[in-house]
Amino acid sequence: MTDSTRPDDDSMREVVERSRSGAPAVGEAVRDRFSSDEVFQRIIAAADEEVTSGSRELFFSGLAAGLAITITFMLYASLSAATDSHPILSVLLYPLGFIYIIIGGYQLYTENTLPPVALTLERLASLPTLLRHWTIVLAGNFTGGAFGAIVLSYGGVFTGETIDSAIYISSGGFDVGFWPLFFKAAMAGLIVAGVVWVGFASTNSVTRLLVVYLAFLAIPLGDLYHVVVSFTEVLYLLFAADLGLYAGDVSLYGGLVDFILPVLLGNTIGGVVLVTLVNYFQTSEERLEEARFEGMTRRLTVPEWALGRAAGRSYVPILDATEATLFANEGHRIMVPITNPRTDGQIVELASRLASDREDGLVHIVHVVQAPERMSLSAGAGRIADVSEEGMEGLKATAESYDIDVSTSTVVTHRSFEEVFNMARRTRPDAVLLGWGDDQLWSAARAERPIDELTNQLPCDFLILNDHELDTSRILLPTSGGPDSTLGAEVASVLSRTAGSTVRLLHVVDAPENREDGEGFLAAWARENGLADAEQVVDDSGDVEEAIVREATDNTLVILGATEKGMLSRLVSNSLHIDITNDVDCSLLLAERPSRRSLRERLFGSGRRDSTPVLDGVERDPEQSSGADLVDMDDNSLGDSTDTRGAEVDKSDETGDARSTRAESTHRETPGDDETVVLDEELNQDT
C-alpha cells in the first residue's frame, strides 16, 4: 500500500485508498483516518487479490512466512540465554519474524483469519474457497517452520546455553491444559488479526511498523501462543530428543493433538470471532456500495456460498462489477477472443458473417494478452491497451464492413484461456468463437486450472475454428441429432444466407439395411433445422471418420458437433486424438452447446455431459434410425455420442478465479454515437 495518493488521480487504486473529504466554504477538510467502511473496503480489495492466487504462489508465500517465524524462535531462544531469561530483554526481538512477514507480504495463517473471512462474509467467496486458502497457507507455514527447526537443531545453530533456553521455551506448552492453551491462543489470534485491521486503518508506514512491533511483543509478554511458532518449537523439541539433547517424553502425535490443535483452534476463533466478526458488524450496510464498489450487488447464492463449485460459482470478482453493464442491453453478441490482431482476421470475419444475419448482431473482439506469471497486472496495462487497440483497428474495420456493431476489449491476464470463460460468464455473449491451434490459447490452457470443470460448464455456445485458409463456400455437416449438431445447423444455415454457402448433410448408418431409416431421420432433421434444401447424404459404411474424410474432399468447411465428454475439455486435455483433424485439408468448425449438470453429478459424476435424450429439434428414436452414433473418441468415432440436451444458460452465472487487468474499449457504430468506455484498473495490496 502507498502512503500517499495524487489528488487528481481518478484510478481505482486512489478511490479505494483515499479518505472521503468534506467541502467547507474555503478549501478542503480531509479526515486524518479512515472510517470503518473504508478500512473494510481496503481489506476486501486485498483479500480479492489473495484469494485468487494460485496454489503454488500461496504455498511458497506461506513457506516464506514459516521460515521467517524461525527467526522469531531463534532470537527468542538466543536472547533468553544471553539475558538469563530476563522477562523484558529476552523478548525484545521476538516480533522481528512477524515484521518480516508483514513487510514482505508473506502469507501467515493467523493473518488470514481476517481478509479472506471478510470476503466470505460478503458472499464474494465460498466456504470451500476459504478452507482451500487456509489449508494451503497453513501447509506452507508448517513446512517452513519444519525446515527451520531442522536447521536450528541438526545444523548446530544453537549451542551451549541457547540449546537449554530453546528446549525450555519449546517444552513450556506441554505443561498447560487444553482450555488454557485454547484461550491463550485466542488472545494471540485477536492480536494478530487486530494488527491486520489496524494496518489497513493506518495512514503511514511508521505507524504500521510500530503497531506490528508492539502487538507481537505482547504475545511472549502475555505468555500467549501462536500456532506456527508453537509448531516450530514442537518439532525442534522432537529433533533435540533425537539428538539426545532432551530427555523428556515427547511424541509427534502428542505434540500435535495436545499442544498444536488447541492453539490452532484458539488462534482461528480469536481472529475470526473477536476481530473479523466484531469489526464486520460495526460497518454500515453501504460498506461496499460506496466509492469503488458502487453498484456492487452480485453475491454468491447460499448453496454456492456453502458448497462452492459443487453448486455453481465459488467466487465473485469485485473488480469486474461494472464490466457486465457494458453489454447489459446488447442484442445477439458473438465474443471473439484473439491472440494476435495481425493474424486472426479470418476468425473475426467468420464471426461477422454470423452476426450479420441478425438485425441486432454484434461482434465483441477480445484481445487476450498472456502476462508472465510474476508480472504485476497493473504494470503497463494502459500501454498494452493502447497498442492492442491500435492493432485491432483493422479487425474492427473488417467487422464493420458487414454492417454490424463492433466492440473491442483488451484483457491482460496470467491465465489467458481460463479468462475467456470467466469473461464469457460476466459479459454473457450468445456465442464464443475461438481459434484452435498452437499459436492460439490452447497451449496456455493445458497449464491452467481447473479447465475440465470450466469446459464442462460452458456459459454459452462455443465454436472452435481450425482454419486452413478459411473458405465457407461448401459446408459439410455430419449429424446424428443432438443440440451440438443443431448448433452446427444454425451456423450452416446462417452461412448459406450471408455467404451463399452450399450445405451438404451427412448421416452415417451401420449397414445398408439401415439406409432407409437413416434417410428418413436425416430428412426430418433437415426440415426441423431449416436445411430442407441442403443436399442429404446417407453413408451406410458404419465408419464415421472415414465417411467424413471422404465427403470432406469436395467441401471447404466441416462443422462437427461435440463428443459425449465435451469437445472443449477434450481439446484442452489434448485427449481428442481423431484422425479427421489431420486427414482433411479443409477448415473444421467444432460446435458445442452448454449442458446442465446437477449438484449430484458435480459432486459424484465422472465429468460426462448431461445425456438426457431430448433434442431442441428432432427427438431421435433409436427404433426409427439405426444411424451410427458420432461417438466418443474412445470408440474411435467423433461427434454426438449421445443425445445431449442444450440447456439455457443461467444469465446470472457470473464467475471468475483468474485475476486479470482489463482495458475495455466499446465502440458503437450508430448515428451520432461514438462511445468509448475504458476500464484500466488493478489493485495490488501489501498486507
Side-chain angles (χ1 to χ4, degrees):
M1 289 178 286
T2 57
D3 295 334
S4 62
T5 57
R6 294 174 298 175
D8 295 329
D9 185 5
D10 290 329
S11 67
M12 284 294 189
R13 181 189 298 274
E14 186 194 272
V15 176
V16 175
E17 298 218 353
R18 70 187 178 189
S19 60
R20 291 174 297 182
S21 61
V26 178
E28 185 180 71
V30 181
R31 293 181 293 115
D32 61 355
R33 64 184 182 89
F34 294 113
S35 69
S36 59
D37 282 3
E38 290 167 331
V39 175
F40 189 79
Q41 290 172 14
R42 291 158 64 92
I43 291 172
I44 285 288
D48 183 63
E49 286 287 327
E50 294 174 2
V51 83
T52 54
S53 299
S55 299
R56 178 177 60 82
E57 295 95 323
L58 277 178
F59 177 80
F60 280 97
S61 182
L63 178 69
L67 291 172
I69 287 297
T70 304
I71 299 174
T72 282
F73 176 50
M74 179 188 71
L75 293 175
Y76 189 15
S78 299
L79 277 181
S80 294
T83 62
D84 196 22
S85 297
H86 190 281
I88 303 297
L89 298 179
S90 62
V91 299
L92 287 180
L93 294 181
Y94 181 92
L96 186 59
F98 294 96
I99 292 175
Y100 276 17
I101 292 169
I102 298 294
I103 295 179
Y106 304 144
Q107 294 288 331
L108 186 65
Y109 172 76
T110 45
E111 288 184 320
N112 279 276
T113 56
L114 177 57
V117 175
L119 205 65
T120 306
L121 288 173
E122 281 294 317
R123 294 215 325 260
L124 300 176
S126 66
L127 287 173
T129 297
L130 173 65
L131 295 177
R132 165 196 171 269
H133 188 86
W134 276 358
T135 301
I136 295 173
V137 170
L138 191 60
N141 290 166
F142 282 177
T143 302
F147 183 79
I150 291 173
V151 172
L152 292 178
S153 55
Y154 291 101
V157 175
F158 287 158
T159 58
E161 294 182 358
T162 305
I163 294 177
D164 296 334
S165 295
I167 291 174
Y168 176 78
I169 293 170
S170 300
S171 60
F174 287 89
D175 299 327
V176 183
F178 184 96
W179 289 112
L181 275 175
F182 173 83
F183 286 109
K184 285 175 176 287
M187 293 303 297
L190 183 155
I191 289 173
V192 179
V195 165
V196 178
W197 180 276
V198 174
F200 280 102
S202 302
T203 57
N204 62 81
S205 298
V206 174
T207 301
R208 270 196 299 273
L209 186 61
L210 182 61
V211 168
V212 169
Y213 178 80
L214 293 177
F216 284 108
L217 189 63
I219 293 179
L221 288 175
D223 196 22
L224 307 179
Y225 293 92
H226 185 279
V227 63
V228 183
V229 179
S230 298
F231 181 81
T232 305
E233 294 172 353
V234 167
L235 288 189
Y236 176 80
L237 201 61
L238 287 169
F239 298 147
D242 183 63
L243 292 171
L245 301 175
Y246 176 63
D249 183 18
V250 61
S251 67
L252 180 60
Y253 177 82
L256 293 178
V257 174
D258 298 332
F259 186 14
I260 302 303
L261 180 59
V263 174
L264 175 62
L265 293 175
N267 285 168
T268 304
I269 299 299
V272 172
V273 176
L274 301 182
V275 175
T276 306
L277 287 178
V278 169
N279 284 296
Y280 176 79
F281 287 111
Q282 69 146 334
T283 58
S284 71
E285 293 296 328
E286 290 75 33
R287 53 187 164 264
L288 293 189
E289 302 302 326
E290 58 188 49
R292 170 177 178 266
F293 302 99
E294 184 174 357
M296 180 64 205
T297 58
R298 296 176 297 153
R299 298 289 188 276
L300 296 174
T301 64
V302 173
E304 287 174 331
W305 180 79
L307 299 173
R309 283 188 176 277
R313 302 169 297 169
S314 62
Y315 164 71
V316 175
I318 61 173
L319 289 177
D320 303 316
T322 60
E323 186 179 54
T325 62
L326 293 172
F327 307 100
N329 298 309
E330 295 294 351
H332 185 85
R333 181 164 52 88
I334 300 176
M335 189 176 102
V336 189
I338 64 171
T339 56
N340 190 337
R342 292 177 295 180
T343 60
D344 290 339
Q346 289 187 328
I347 304 174
V348 174
E349 185 173 357
L350 177 58
S352 302
R353 285 190 182 277
L354 297 177
S356 66
D357 190 57
R358 303 284 293 263
E359 290 185 4
D360 58 350
L362 167 70
V363 169
H364 177 199
I365 307 170
V366 182
H367 185 196
V368 183
V369 180
Q370 175 80 35
E373 191 64 32
R374 305 307 300 175
M375 170 185 168
S376 170
L377 292 175
S378 59
R383 181 177 56 83
I384 292 174
D386 292 340
V387 174
S388 172
E389 185 65 20
E390 201 174 306
M392 285 191 288
E393 287 299 324
L395 298 181
K396 289 174 64 176
T398 297
E400 288 163 1
S401 67
Y402 287 89
D403 194 27
I404 58 174
D405 290 343
V406 184
S407 64
T408 61
S409 304
T410 297
V411 178
V412 184
T413 176
H414 293 312
R415 293 186 170 88
S416 55
F417 191 82
E418 188 175 338
E419 180 59 26
V420 171
F421 291 88
N422 294 336
M423 193 168 190
R425 288 188 174 98
R426 290 190 303 268
T427 63
R428 310 164 192 164
D430 293 277
V432 172
L433 176 58
L434 266 170
W436 171 25
D438 291 336
D439 59 339
Q440 297 291 332
L441 299 169
W442 301 99
S443 57
R446 291 166 189 143
E448 295 175 13
R449 61 152 179 89
I451 292 301
D452 186 64
E453 176 66 20
L454 284 170
T455 52
N456 251 323
Q457 294 293 320
L458 299 183
C460 61
D461 293 341
F462 266 71
L463 300 170
I464 313 298
L465 177 65
N466 183 21
D467 69 276
H468 300 275
E469 300 299 326
L470 180 63
D471 181 356
T472 61
S473 60
R474 299 184 305 279
I475 298 174
L476 175 65
L477 177 59
T479 181
S480 64
D484 299 310
S485 291
T486 301
L487 175 58
E490 292 176 9
V491 173
S493 179
V494 170
L495 290 177
S496 69
R497 292 191 295 270
T498 60
S501 305
T502 60
V503 181
R504 177 183 294 180
L505 305 179
L506 172 65
H507 181 60
V508 182
V509 295
D510 294 323
E513 56 266 25
N514 298 323
R515 171 178 287 275
E516 185 176 347
D517 290 340
E519 289 174 346
F521 164 76
L522 189 58
W525 188 88
R527 287 194 303 271
E528 191 73 24
N529 289 278
L531 293 172
D533 295 334
E535 180 183 356
Q536 300 173 20
V537 177
V538 175
D539 187 290
D540 57 18
S541 67
D543 191 325
V544 178
E545 288 190 25
E546 184 178 327
I548 294 174
V549 172
R550 184 167 52 250
E551 293 294 331
T553 57
D554 297 327
N555 292 278
T556 60
L557 174 66
V558 177
I559 302 177
L560 299 174
T563 61
E564 177 179 323
K565 285 186 178 179
M567 188 72 73
L568 279 171
S569 57
R570 302 278 294 287
L571 284 171
V572 168
S573 62
N574 204 24
S575 63
L576 186 63
H577 300 296
I578 50 177
D579 294 335
I580 186 175
T581 58
N582 299 316
D583 291 346
V584 300
D585 295 326
C586 61
S587 300
L588 284 100
L589 185 67
L590 311 179
E592 182 169 352
R593 283 227 137 112
S595 60
R596 188 180 300 278
R597 290 193 298 153
S598 67
L599 176 59
R600 180 187 62 80
E601 290 170 326
R602 294 192 196 186
L603 289 174
F604 307 111
S606 61
R608 297 160 75 90
R609 302 173 70 224
D610 181 10
S611 56
T612 306
V614 180
L615 309 181
D616 293 336
V618 174
E619 185 169 343
R620 184 178 174 190
D621 185 350
E623 298 297 327
Q624 295 180 0
S625 173
S626 301
D629 285 345
L630 302 183
V631 296
D632 192 295
M633 173 270 297
D634 298 330
D635 294 325
N636 295 319
S637 240
L638 169 72
D640 297 278
S641 61
T642 63
D643 295 324
T644 58
R645 179 172 185 172
E648 181 180 352
V649 182
D650 182 357
K651 294 299 184 180
S652 67
D653 186 16
E654 304 158 319
T655 187
D657 290 324
R659 300 299 310 124
S660 61
T661 295
R662 286 170 196 83
E664 306 275 3
S665 174
T666 304
H667 184 66
R668 306 285 186 276
E669 286 298 315
T670 54
D673 183 12
D674 185 12
E675 176 190 5
T676 301
V677 182
V678 177
L679 301 179
D680 179 13
E681 61 258 9
E682 178 68 17
L683 181 64
N684 292 322
Q685 294 279 1
D686 294 326
T687 59

